[in-house]
Structures are given as C-alpha cells and as structure tokens.
Amino acid sequence: MIGRARTAPLALPVQLASPYLVDLAAPGMNGLALYLAAAGARVSGSVPDRADPDLVRELEGAGVRVVARPVPENVGVGHSSAVWSGAVAGPQPELDHARQLGLPVLGHAQALALAVDAAPRGVVVAGSHSTQTAAAMLPAALGHLGSGWILNAAPSRQLAGHAGGGDLLVADLGPDATTHEAPPGFARCTSALALVTAACANPPHHRDRNAALDVLEDLTRVSNTVVLAIGDSGMRLLAQRLTDRPGPRVVTAGEAYDADIRLMRHLWSGTHSHITVRDFDGAFHTITTTMPGRHHALATTAAFAAALALGANPAEVAGGISAHFHGLDGYLTTVGTQRHTTVLASRARHPAEIAADLTAARLLTDGTLTAILEPDGHTRTTGLARELGDALALADRVVLLPVSSPLSTVAVVDPLVAVADATSAAGVPSEQIIAWRPGPCAPSLEATCTGGSGPGDLIVVIGTGTTARGLGPRLLHHIAAPTTPVPADL
C-alpha cells in the first residue's frame, strides 16, 4: 500500500485547469494555488491590500499570476472557474463577474475535494479542530514516497502546497481555512486514508458534537482506512460508530493502553520534544520535534500512525519527521524576549487548542502567564464563550481583544462580556481580566498587554486576526522601551 512514483502528469479536473482564486492570502488558498500551479494548472488570483509581500513573491515564484486589485476584469472567459475562500466579506466584483460569464464558482472546500478526488491516492486530515500539525507532519513522514500536499498552514522552511513526485496527495480539510461567520464549508471526497483529529462542537461548522460526528462519519465512510486520534470522548464515539457496522479499516492512535499506535512518553527538553511511540508490532520509536506540549505529541503520534497505515516503514517515518519537520510558524513559537520577558505567538482558535497551548506554555515559565486573545468570529465566540473562559483560566492574567470578524456590521451582543464572565467564573480574579477596546481615552494596547509583566514572565498572543498577527513585535518594542512610541510600521 506504499506510495509509488508517478509516471504521468497529474490529471486535474477541468474546473481546476485554469482557476481564478479570490483572496490568495486566505488560509488554505495559497496552498491550493501552489499545488495546482506545480501540477500544471494556469493559476491566477487576487490578494487584499497590504498582503504579505513574502507570500506574493512565493506565489509568483511558483508561476501564479497575482493581481493586487479585485476588479471584475480580472476574471475572463479563459478561466475554468472562480474559487473563493469563504472568508471574504463585502462586495465581490470578481465573483459577480464570474457568475455573469457562466463560470463555475467553487468554495475552497469544493475545490479541495476535486483535487483530492483527481489524485491517484488522497490522504485527508479532518476534524473539528487541530488538523494543522498532523497535516503538516505528513509530508515529512511520507517525503521518501514523493507525496504532494495542500495545507492550511505551511511548515517552517516549506511551502503550503506542492505537487510531489509520487501518487499521494495530503490535504488538510480542517474548518479553520474559512471564517467563523460563514456556514459550514465541507465537501465529501473519496480518500485512501482519512486522519481525524477531533470531534466536538465548533460553530458554525459543527453546531454541537452530534453534528460533528455526523459530518466526520460521512467523510470517513468513503475512505479505505481511518486513523483516529483518540483524545476526547467525541473521538471514542466516532470509533464506535465506525466499528458498529462494516466499513473502513479503523486504526486508533493515542495514550490509551488499547491504542493501535500508542504514545508511550513525551519529554520536553526546553528546546525539543522527544516523543516515544509504539508501532503495530510493539517496537518503540523516538521522534524529535521543536513543538512543545502534549497536544503536539498526540498529533505526532497520529501522523506516525497514518504513515504506517499506508504501509510506510516505521523507522523511515520517525526519521523523516525528526529530520524534515521543523514546526509551524506561529503555533506556540517564540516571537522574542526583552528584559527577560518572553512573548509567544499562538494561532489557536478553538477553546481546546487554546487550553492545550496554555497548558504547554506553563512548562516554559515559573512566572506570570498572560494570555492575550483575539477571538475568532462572533458566531464561535458567542457559542463557545463558556469553553473559552475555561481555557483562558489556565493563565494568571487575561486580555481580551475585540472579536476578529470580516463583517463590517454585526447585529449581535458583544460576546466579550460573556467570555470575561466565564473566565472569572473559572477562577481568574476579575481585576486580572481586561476587555480592551480602542478609543481616544483608552490606554495603548501595548501598555495594557504588558502591564505588570516582569522578568521571567511569559506572554502568549493568541489568534489569527489582524491585531494578533502583528502584536508580538509591538509588545517586545514596548517592553524594551516603554516610553518610546511603537513605530506604526512594526
């Protein structure tokens, strides 16, 4: 069942032969563009104002035609389809023009499903949350088999998309490639293997656990093999559903004694995680990564299990991850240290991810832990306010930023109050919880976030919104020179 060298060019579906992608900078869209370009498609698309210039150069270097202004004339009859991320709000002249021309308009999930179905053998990573680490590890685990990939988060030193030279395509189907103000973006696709990381509520994609189980069972039923990362009750329920009647082969991975691939030990040295796993035959293998935390060790175990379920050699898989996976930028990574206060960046969005990152951050400091959260979407923040509060209670001090949303007007009650109340109820003193909002009389964000921090303390900036993405360097500047204005371009 191991991968084979590809002897012919990749066959792409006609809709993806010359697609136009709206918002190439959105999570998942750049990975899709890079994969399609490498597979021989004529890819073009737009980026928003102030897009990351490094990303634009990366796309153009791969042969993607990038335009900076989203105007109707960008889309023409020479395009095979228009693909959009689902994270776009406001007027969409490019999509409107595509419809006028009669072009297929595809969501990101639909385009991803078409690419997976066209690949000789698809390997998909799905779940209510936490798909990124396992998905990003699989190309390293299967690199010796020439796998291609389409990822929502690019591994350090790697691109988010690559066509590869073998018959395997790894695709991250995680819901966080879209906004949490949009309806669920999910398209069924057939795969050789499906790896599932979590099954729980994640509004609006999965309104509750049962909805998540229904979606994930529907996906996995059409896979040949299913690998389940058993870390919560939802995943055990999914395992029961899949084994209660005939269906795909099921492989379990986790810490439980009866797991097919078992996480035996996880040690953090201060710079590296040393993860010992047991394979199908009872042999032990050690994998070394740069990512701290039990949750990343579980993701490593799941990726190892998926590779073995595809028939790969255990020693080659362990060696491939250790040698070629260098972490994920922004996934609990160090931004820097000033005056012995360290700032970390976390791209966690779901409460379970936030709790896991804050638990791991506790291993890195004996001082005060400050969590700064830019919540993701009014729908998710409102629906999971209590769970967010429980997760944030793992910190000593909490700063809540305005909710990140692409919507310009929102007719709902500001959910920050509910999150603050839940955080207080979970044990953080109310005086240590700040809901910061911009205004002419408000203290600066940098001063608010760093207030009270000192040598040995740790600040974790959590979120993927515009404010959180650029906040780390600004905090370090303020800590180093608190009386000096932070440069506007930092």
Side-chain angles (χ1 to χ4, degrees):
M1 196 175 173
I2 60 174
R4 298 173 294 274
R6 195 171 62 244
T7 58
L10 280 169
L12 291 173
V14 64
Q15 299 98 317
L16 300 181
S18 56
Y20 185 89
L21 278 62
V22 178
D23 192 1
L24 287 163
M29 292 291 280
N30 60 322
L32 179 63
L34 290 166
Y35 169 78
L36 292 175
R42 300 185 305 277
V43 184
S44 57
S46 58
V47 294
D49 293 338
R50 301 182 66 182
D52 182 355
D54 291 336
L55 173 62
V56 173
R57 284 192 291 270
E58 183 179 90
L59 290 163
E60 291 177 334
V64 178
R65 179 176 172 269
V66 181
V67 294
R69 292 183 62 241
V71 295
E73 294 75 21
N74 291 339
V75 186
V77 293
H79 290 109
S80 58
S81 65
V83 182
W84 72 298
S85 68
V88 182
Q92 294 305 313
E94 295 166 313
L95 295 178
D96 293 341
H97 190 57
R99 291 188 177 95
Q100 291 173 3
L101 294 174
L103 297 178
V105 175
L106 307 174
H108 170 265
Q110 293 171 296
L112 200 57
L114 287 172
V116 172
D117 281 337
R121 290 200 302 153
V123 178
V124 299
V125 183
S128 301
H129 60 79
S130 303
T131 60
Q132 298 93 332
T133 302
M137 277 187 182
L138 278 171
L142 300 169
H144 59 293
L145 302 178
S147 66
W149 61 84
I150 305 172
L151 304 176
N152 292 337
S156 299
R157 310 182 199 174
Q158 295 283 349
L159 300 176
H162 177 66
D167 66 345
L168 291 170
L169 171 61
V170 176
D172 186 349
L173 304 187
D176 282 341
T178 184
T179 176
H180 288 281
E181 308 295 9
F186 175 78
R188 198 181 198 213
C189 55
T190 304
S191 61
L193 182 143
L195 165 57
V196 184
T197 59
C200 61
N202 186 9
H205 306 291
H206 306 148
R207 66 182 183 276
D208 55 30
R209 186 172 66 182
N210 284 336
L213 289 168
D214 290 343
V215 168
L216 293 169
E217 183 180 4
D218 186 57
L219 171 71
T220 53
R221 283 283 174 196
V222 294
S223 298
N224 295 331
T225 300
V226 180
V227 175
L228 302 178
I230 305 295
D232 58 36
S233 58
M235 292 300 292
R236 291 198 173 276
L237 287 173
L238 181 58
Q240 290 177 7
R241 284 192 179 200
L242 292 174
T243 54
D244 277 348
R245 58 189 177 91
R249 172 195 180 199
V250 176
V251 175
T252 58
E255 294 178 290
Y257 178 79
D258 59 349
D260 297 313
I261 302 296
R262 188 180 178 194
L263 171 60
M264 304 300 297
R265 185 173 62 175
H266 169 231
L267 296 176
W268 173 250
S269 69
T271 58
H272 291 81
S273 283
H274 302 280
I275 302 157
T276 302
V277 292
R278 186 192 66 196
D279 67 19
F280 290 118
D281 297 323
F284 288 14
H285 305 270
T286 298
I287 302 170
T288 301
T289 77
T290 59
M291 303 184 76
R294 169 181 169 274
H295 56 316
H296 291 308
L298 288 169
T300 304
T301 306
F304 180 81
L308 267 58
L310 288 167
N313 178 277
E316 289 182 334
V317 172
I321 297 175
S322 299
H324 302 298
F325 179 71
H326 305 288
L328 288 166
D329 292 335
Y331 284 75
L332 204 61
T333 54
T334 301
V335 180
T337 300
Q338 288 287 356
R339 295 188 174 184
H340 304 289
T341 297
T342 299
V343 177
L344 302 183
S346 163
R347 293 179 61 86
R349 301 170 84 175
H350 190 276
E353 295 175 326
I354 294 169
D357 273 3
L358 291 177
T359 299
R362 277 290 183 197
L363 301 174
L364 308 179
T365 182
D366 292 323
T368 297
L369 176 60
T370 297
I372 303 166
L373 174 66
E374 183 177 19
D376 181 60
H378 288 81
T379 303
R380 166 183 273 179
T381 307
T382 301
L384 297 178
R386 181 180 61 79
E387 291 83 354
L388 286 169
D390 289 343
L392 291 169
L394 294 166
D396 302 303
R397 184 171 178 270
V398 175
V399 179
L400 298 171
L401 308 183
V403 175
S404 173
S405 173
L407 304 180
S408 56
T409 57
V410 182
V412 296
V413 176
D414 186 351
L416 287 190
V417 174
V419 176
D421 289 345
T423 305
S424 177
V428 178
S430 56
E431 63 270 17
Q432 297 298 329
I433 304 170
I434 301 172
W436 182 87
R437 294 176 176 83
C441 299
S444 75
L445 176 57
E446 295 79 15
T448 300
C449 292
T450 59
S453 296
D457 292 344
L458 190 64
I459 300 173
V460 184
V461 181
I462 307 168
T464 60
T466 303
T467 303
R469 284 201 305 269
L471 185 56
R474 298 178 65 86
L475 296 183
L476 290 169
H477 183 281
H478 182 79
I479 294 169
T483 61
T484 304
V486 178
D489 59 349
L490 189 61

